Amino acid sequence: MKKIFYLVFALLFTGCEDFLDTQNYKEKDDSNFPVTEEDAEQMVTGVYSTMATAMRSPSSHFYMVSEQASEECFGGGGLNDKQAQANDHLLIYDENPYAGFWSARYTGINRANNAIAALNNMEDGEVKNQKLGECYFLRSYFYFELAQMFEAVPLINKAPSNVVEAQTPPEQATPEELYAHIASDLRKACEIMPAKKWNEFSYGTATRWAAEALLARVYLFYTGFYQKDALPTEEGDDITKDYVIAKLQDCIDNSGHQLVSDFRSLWAYSNKSTLKDVRSMPEDKRPKWYSDDIQEWKKDGENPEQIFVFNCHYMDSYPSDGNMTGFANLIAHYSAFRSVSDADYGKDSEVGAFPLGKGWGYAPVATNFYTDNNWEAKDKRRDYSVMYVDPTKYDGDKQMEGSGYWQLKNITISCYNGENRLASFCSSTDYWGDGVKSDYQSSVAQSLTLIRYADVLLMQAELTEDMSYTDDIRRRAGLEPIGYSLEAIQNERAHELAFEGVRWMDIRRWHIAESMLQKQVGTVIYNEGQQVKMNDQKAGYVTRYKETRGFFAIPKTEIDLSNGTMKQNAGWDGDVRFSTWE
């Protein structure tokens, strides 16, 4: 089974020593911790663990919200999943829909601040540089998601030095201040982290290569969305396009990351257990993504295209207190096919959903994204990324905003284990070798890929205006190389990186969000099995985007606690509540 780290201690950074100024041998504090590599590992694990905390509430998670808000997907979910549909329409169902995510990310930031301060106790060397770099990367990653989601958020860049400082509500930073902090952190990480090959690190570790890739994402969003020429830093200089290009080239030349030869082997539906079942189906019943030459899934830890992932964990049952569900890939579970009967998932079902697993029906693929998105006729990625299930053949268990189209990249996948079909990731016996049956909610164990190597190549193509960086990506998709144009790179990113949490960032930085969102209006959808057409809710997609600029509502609890130092984002006053589908 996968290795999982448990945070079993709490660190109190008191900054105190006794009056004799002697070594403290009894307790771990900032006078004696961390010292060893094990100490450093424990401390940084505490920062990583907050990623699991954020996963416990998929409806508020940046990854899910950005998918639902973009034109790739509708909101979906069941009749009672109001916030899922609200996310799609840039509305809110209650005053604090994103409070859990906000709290998880600031917990991670605070832990990173403490870790950075304490890691400076270690002797200089590779271990210290790697662990410091991981903390700089994670802190910048957390802030970048907050900045994209809320724009004006508090900037807390160090551990508080006293109680008064800790209890003083921070002010909201300007975008320039926030991105300067993010950029400085990433530059430090890029410069100090060791240049080892990707497979020399423990799986799930943030690396130099992840920092270089994230720096490029930050640069592209900031300069594109805010129409700037460079990325500011806290040191007062700028990070230029040339610097970012050099860092991406370092990743390309030295990381060891590479494209896998079969696009399908990136995603869990090509696991050996499910492939065995699909091969046993009649040819006319097999899903479109299947062919006899398909390569098996490059399992987590063996995939050279994964640069940064949220490392998920298999559990054989759903914990009664729910405390560990964050280690499962709940975004994949929430995004999975929703139906009443388990029989709908079988190989012989007339529904035709196999091998989709059971879930809550969030973020169904928008019809227009599959049918009207500048797809080239021979592009294999469309049917390798999306599967159609006839929505007239099942009632969808009160599925809302259903289209019949489901993404295949980050979704639960089913297979058979003897006589028992498993509507979860796949057979625990076949995959993990432990003989334990799966739980369909908590055993979704494939990791959530957050950055992969194809994105590095696409960003380098965009920055250098040289499409040769995409030649191998296109050949893998069954296409010939093409020359550079902005439209070409926009299409290539849309097709290669669909449903990977970056589309919302892309259409906003290219300033095409309004036209893309409008495409959803008028498409056929299914609400509780009834065919209707997608329409504007409240003011409508375009107006809501203009009012909010694509930023979401800061939790009211945070504004109330700030004693007036924090202000709500524009566009979130007035009639912005989603109560029911109209």
Side-chain angles (χ1 to χ4, degrees), residues 295-510:
Q295 296 180 20
E296 287 185 3
W297 180 43
K298 298 293 184 184
K299 292 190 292 189
D300 296 332
E302 301 174 6
N303 183 345
E305 199 162 332
Q306 290 178 323
I307 291 181
F308 183 60
V309 303
F310 169 56
N311 189 6
C312 300
H313 177 65
Y314 170 87
M315 291 176 288
D316 60 7
S317 63
Y318 194 88
S320 58
D321 60 2
N323 285 335
M324 295 304 296
T325 57
F327 289 104
N329 189 338
L330 291 190
I331 289 179
H333 170 60
Y334 271 59
S335 301
F337 178 70
R338 183 185 189 102
S339 188
V340 174
S341 171
D342 283 352
D344 288 345
Y345 299 94
K347 290 186 296 183
D348 301 323
S349 169
E350 289 300 314
V351 172
F354 188 80
L356 299 182
K358 180 184 288 188
W360 304 134
Y362 278 47
V365 176
T367 307
N368 57 283
F369 194 82
Y370 181 85
T371 61
D372 180 26
N373 194 38
N374 298 320
W375 290 97
E376 296 173 66
K378 295 181 179 180
D379 195 334
K380 299 176 181 179
R381 292 171 295 190
R382 178 160 62 170
D383 288 323
Y384 288 177
S385 303
V386 181
M387 182 172 168
Y388 181 74
V389 181
D390 189 341
T392 66
K393 291 184 178 180
Y394 69 101
D395 65 14
D397 190 20
K398 300 182 180 179
Q399 173 74 51
M400 298 295 291
E401 300 184 339
S403 63
Y405 294 99
W406 299 93
Q407 58 91 5
L408 289 165
K409 291 184 174 182
N410 186 39
I411 194 169
T412 60
I413 300 297
S414 63
C415 69
Y416 285 74
N417 180 13
E419 297 299 320
N420 301 314
R421 183 197 52 75
L422 299 174
S424 63
F425 164 61
C426 65
S427 163
S428 180
T429 298
D430 287 344
Y431 183 70
W432 298 115
D434 57 10
V436 179
K437 292 184 178 180
S438 302
D439 176 87
Y440 84 96
Q441 295 186 83
S442 60
S443 299
V444 187
Q446 71 264 35
S447 293
L448 179 64
T449 300
L450 299 170
I451 305 175
R452 64 182 174 94
Y453 185 65
D455 193 12
V456 168
L457 297 176
L458 288 163
M459 290 190 290
Q460 191 73 320
E462 184 172 358
L463 288 164
T464 61
E465 299 187 4
D466 180 357
M467 286 296 279
S468 66
Y469 285 100
T470 72
D471 288 352
D472 288 339
I473 295 174
R474 287 181 57 81
R475 289 191 186 99
R476 181 171 69 177
L479 304 172
E480 296 297 321
I482 57 174
Y484 180 83
S485 69
L486 179 59
E487 182 181 7
I489 199 67
Q490 288 174 342
N491 288 335
E492 204 60 38
R493 288 186 65 83
H495 300 155
E496 177 69 23
L497 302 176
F499 322 117
E500 296 183 47
V502 299
R503 182 63 175 170
W504 186 234
M505 172 186 72
D506 281 349
I507 63 175
R508 294 171 71 204
R509 68 182 177 86
W510 288 324

Side-chain angles (χ1 to χ4, degrees), residues 97-325:
Y98 313 114
F101 181 76
W102 177 287
S103 176
R105 284 297 179 251
Y106 271 105
T107 299
I109 288 165
N110 287 331
R111 289 185 183 180
N113 289 339
N114 288 332
I116 289 166
L119 284 165
N120 285 313
N121 291 329
M122 294 185 68
E123 292 185 5
D124 290 341
E126 185 174 286
V127 171
K128 177 181 179 178
N129 287 340
Q130 172 62 28
K131 295 305 171 185
L132 272 173
E134 288 178 51
C135 289
Y136 287 133
F137 171 87
L138 290 169
R139 185 168 68 176
S140 62
Y141 187 89
F142 298 158
Y143 264 127
F144 186 41
E145 287 193 333
L146 290 168
Q148 291 178 87
M149 195 164 179
F150 304 110
E151 185 176 40
V153 299
L155 177 58
I156 306 170
N157 58 10
K158 62 186 177 73
S161 59
N162 54 60
V163 174
V164 173
E165 186 175 309
Q167 294 179 345
T168 302
E171 295 183 359
Q172 289 165 288
T174 66
E176 185 174 11
E177 291 170 337
L178 192 58
Y179 279 92
H181 179 63
I182 294 169
S184 291
D185 269 4
L186 287 172
R187 182 165 64 178
K188 291 172 189 173
C190 291
E191 299 296 343
I192 68 174
M193 295 173 88
K196 294 180 178 179
K197 302 296 184 185
W198 71 273
N199 52 4
E200 296 180 45
F201 294 93
S202 298
Y203 181 67
T205 299
T207 64
R208 174 193 186 110
W209 322 119
E212 290 174 340
L214 184 58
L215 178 64
R217 276 192 184 176
V218 172
Y219 175 88
L220 284 167
F221 183 79
Y222 179 80
T223 57
F225 185 82
Y226 293 103
Q227 298 184 301
K228 303 288 186 179
D229 295 325
L231 191 60
T233 69
E234 290 181 322
E235 292 75 26
D237 60 341
D238 289 334
I239 289 179
T240 64
K241 179 190 289 189
D242 288 343
Y243 181 86
V244 177
I245 289 172
K247 290 303 173 187
L248 285 180
Q249 197 63 46
D250 182 38
C251 179
I252 292 167
D253 293 340
N254 300 310
S255 68
H257 285 293
Q258 59 184 356
L259 299 176
V260 301
S261 57
D262 189 335
F263 183 81
R264 295 168 292 184
S265 69
L266 290 165
W267 319 114
Y269 62 78
S270 64
N271 76 84
K272 64 180 181 180
S273 300
T274 296
L275 286 184
K276 177 182 65 178
D277 294 329
V278 171
R279 288 189 177 106
S280 71
M281 297 170 67
E283 289 188 17
D284 63 342
K285 296 288 187 180
R286 291 172 182 167
K288 284 186 176 181
W289 52 259
Y290 177 80
S291 63
D292 289 340
D293 63 347
I294 187 172
Q295 296 180 20
E296 287 185 3
W297 180 43
K298 298 293 184 184
K299 292 190 292 189
D300 296 332
E302 301 174 6
N303 183 345
E305 199 162 332
Q306 290 178 323
I307 291 181
F308 183 60
V309 303
F310 169 56
N311 189 6
C312 300
H313 177 65
Y314 170 87
M315 291 176 288
D316 60 7
S317 63
Y318 194 88
S320 58
D321 60 2
N323 285 335
M324 295 304 296
T325 57

